Amino acid sequence: MFSTLKTLIDGANAKAENRLRDSFSIELIDQKIREAEQNLKAAKLTLASLIQKQRSEIRQVETLQARIDDLMARACQALEDDRQDLAQTAAQAVADLENELALRKQTEGRLETRILQLRHSVQAASRRILDLKQGAISARAVKREQGLQKLLNRHLGGDSPIDEAEALIARVMKQDDPFEQSEILREIDAGMDHLNLAARMEEAGYGPKTRATASDVLKRLKAQTDN
C-alpha cells in the first residue's frame, strides 16, 4: 500500500515538474546559458593562469641555461689556468643548475600539455554556448508561435467570440419579420371586418360598383369630350 502511494506521489511530482519546466522553459534555457558562460569565464581565467605560469617557467629555464653556459665557460678557463678547485666548484654548481633546469623543463612541458587540453575545452565550450544562444533564439520564436496558436485556438474553439457572433447572427435571421407580421395581422383584421365584405365582393365582380376607379374617371372624361 505504502509503495503504491509512493509511486503515485512520485509520478505526480514528475508530471508537475515537467509542466513547470515546460512553462518556464525559456527562463531555464537563459539560466543554463548564464551558468555555462560563468563556467567558461572561470575556465578562461584558469587557462590564463596556466599560461602565465608556463611563461614564468620558460623565463626560469632561459635564466638557468644562461647561468649554466656562463659557469661552463668560466670552468673551462679555470681548467686552462690549472685552477682545479674553482673548476670543481663550478662543475658542482653546473650539475645542480642542470638538475633544476630539468625539473623546470618537465614542469613547463606539463603546463604546455595542460594548456593545450584546456584551450581545446574552452574553444569547444565557446562554440557550444554560441550554439545554445542560437537555439535559445529559435526556442523563443517557437514559444511565441505556440502562444499565439493557443490564443487562436481559444478564439476559434468552443465559446469563442466567433462562435458567439455566428450564433447571434443565426438568432437574428431566425426571428420573424415584424413588417410581414403586421401585414398578416392587417389581413386577418380585414377578413374579420364585415364592413369590408361588400368592397371585397365588388372587387371580385359581384354586384354593382360603388367606388370609382381610374378607368371609370377616364371613361367619363372621354364621354364629356365627345359630347
Side-chain angles (χ1 to χ4, degrees), residues 145-157:
E145 180 182 352
Q146 291 175 348
L148 291 174
Q149 186 63 47
K150 289 180 180 179
L151 181 62
L152 183 60
N153 290 339
R154 286 198 298 268
H155 287 169
L156 296 179

Side-chain angles (χ1 to χ4, degrees), residues 67 100 114 119 132 181 202 205 211 227:
R67 290 179 62 188
E100 184 180 355
R114 179 59 181 149
R119 190 187 297 275
L132 284 176
Q181 190 177 47
E202 177 184 339
R211 294 184 300 172
N227 294 331

